[in-house]
Amino acid sequence: MGTLTIRNLEDPLKSRLRLRAAARNRSMEEEARQILRTALQEPTAATLDLGARIRARFAALGGVELQIAAREPVRPPPAQEESLVARGSRGRKPSTRSRRRG
């Protein structure tokens, strides 16, 4: 069994524990154990993730249905020959800058 030491317990709280233990004919130590047992046997509420908490907060306002815009079909990729013609015979893009000769 483990040991638990509680330091800096306020005097009024200690007095209430002492009176409660005496009313139940228990020691303060046994009363503290019983209080801990009772408190820790209660089922814990499941915590919601952030998205669920946001959804719950705004649920009273109603949902929003957004129209999804129709998309254009994806165009096919250029054929290999077309890309070589567009880039020139060496496979590089044609330069738009004029070269300085001098």
Side-chain angles (χ1 to χ4, degrees):
M1 290 223 165
T3 302
L4 175 66
T5 302
I6 302 174
R7 293 188 176 90
N8 302 323
L9 192 63
E10 296 90 4
D11 288 334
L13 186 60
K14 183 179 175 185
S15 295
R16 287 179 53 199
L17 179 62
R18 182 177 50 81
L19 292 172
R20 181 175 167 158
R24 290 177 167 81
N25 202 23
R26 297 181 184 147
S27 67
M28 284 178 52
E29 200 172 278
E30 180 58 32
E31 186 64 21
R33 277 195 294 269
Q34 190 60 38
I35 290 170
L36 285 171
R37 274 188 211 106
T38 303
L40 296 176
Q41 285 178 353
E42 295 175 3
T44 57
T47 58
L48 300 174
D49 64 343
L50 180 61
R53 290 188 352 232
I54 291 171
R55 191 176 306 112
R57 175 168 287 197
F58 293 102
L61 300 176
V64 175
E65 297 297 324
L66 299 175
Q67 294 292 329
I68 298 175
R71 297 183 67 176
E72 296 177 10
V74 178
R75 62 182 178 186
Q80 186 66 27
E81 299 84 41
E82 290 177 19
S83 64
L84 288 177
V85 170
R87 291 180 178 255
S89 61
R90 294 181 158 187
R92 292 186 296 184
K93 284 187 177 180
S95 176
T96 55
R97 292 187 335 187
S98 61
R99 292 188 182 178
R100 203 179 218 188
R101 294 185 183 188

